[in-house]
Amino acid sequence: MNRAAEFRLAKISEAEVTALRERIAELEAQINKPETEAFMRGVPLEAAHQRERWGAAHDAGKAPLDWFWLIGYLAQKAATSAINGDVEKAKHHTISTAAALSNWHLQLAGVDNRMRPGIAERKGEA
């Protein structure tokens, strides 16, 4: 850490640190809580959640068919939940399917390549 950063950190009060930690927790809770009522609000939240949960920085990505199978799998979960009468779960899976499509679009556009289906983390990586 450079001296300027140390100086700025030294001026942060304990109350400010606590407030920042609370805000981080609040934002993480928003990303990690499934949104099922507002589709257009839920898709970007779920897409961010997927990138954080399933990101794999060590690999260049998977082929288009990996995305196809992921999206089919998620859509099937939505259909199965709807057939079983679990509307909340079905709504969640429609949003997670759309979020996966959003992440595929980001990957194709070269904007964000963190969410790549089918790539496990190497041992010791987090």
Side-chain angles (χ1 to χ4, degrees):
M1 181 179 307
N2 65 35
R3 284 202 154 289
E6 287 176 12
F7 180 75
R8 283 193 303 272
L9 285 176
K11 293 200 174 242
I12 296 176
S13 71
E14 192 64 38
E16 290 171 311
V17 169
T18 299
L20 289 170
R21 285 185 176 144
E22 288 172 358
R23 181 64 175 146
I24 289 168
E26 178 186 334
L27 293 172
E28 286 177 342
Q30 287 179 14
I31 289 173
N32 293 317
K33 177 181 175 245
E35 170 63 55
T36 59
E37 295 307 316
F39 183 83
M40 296 306 287
R41 174 175 155 67
V43 171
L45 289 171
E46 177 65 20
H49 170 76
Q50 289 174 356
R51 289 189 303 273
E52 291 300 315
R53 181 161 184 205
W54 303 109
H58 67 276
D59 199 306
K62 287 291 191 182
L65 286 178
D66 294 311
W67 288 99
F68 168 80
W69 288 113
L70 171 65
I71 291 158
Y73 168 74
L74 293 171
Q76 180 184 11
K77 287 179 78 162
T80 301
S81 296
I83 290 166
N84 291 334
D86 192 342
V87 176
E88 284 303 303
K89 194 174 263 190
K91 290 191 297 186
H92 170 66
H93 290 309
T94 60
I95 289 173
S96 64
T97 303
L101 281 166
S102 174
N103 281 317
W104 187 11
H105 184 271
L106 289 172
Q107 189 266 340
L108 288 169
V111 175
D112 194 323
N113 201 28
R114 288 179 288 163
M115 198 300 198
R116 292 187 291 277
I119 303 172
E121 292 178 350
R122 292 183 200 168
K123 283 187 175 181
E125 281 189 355

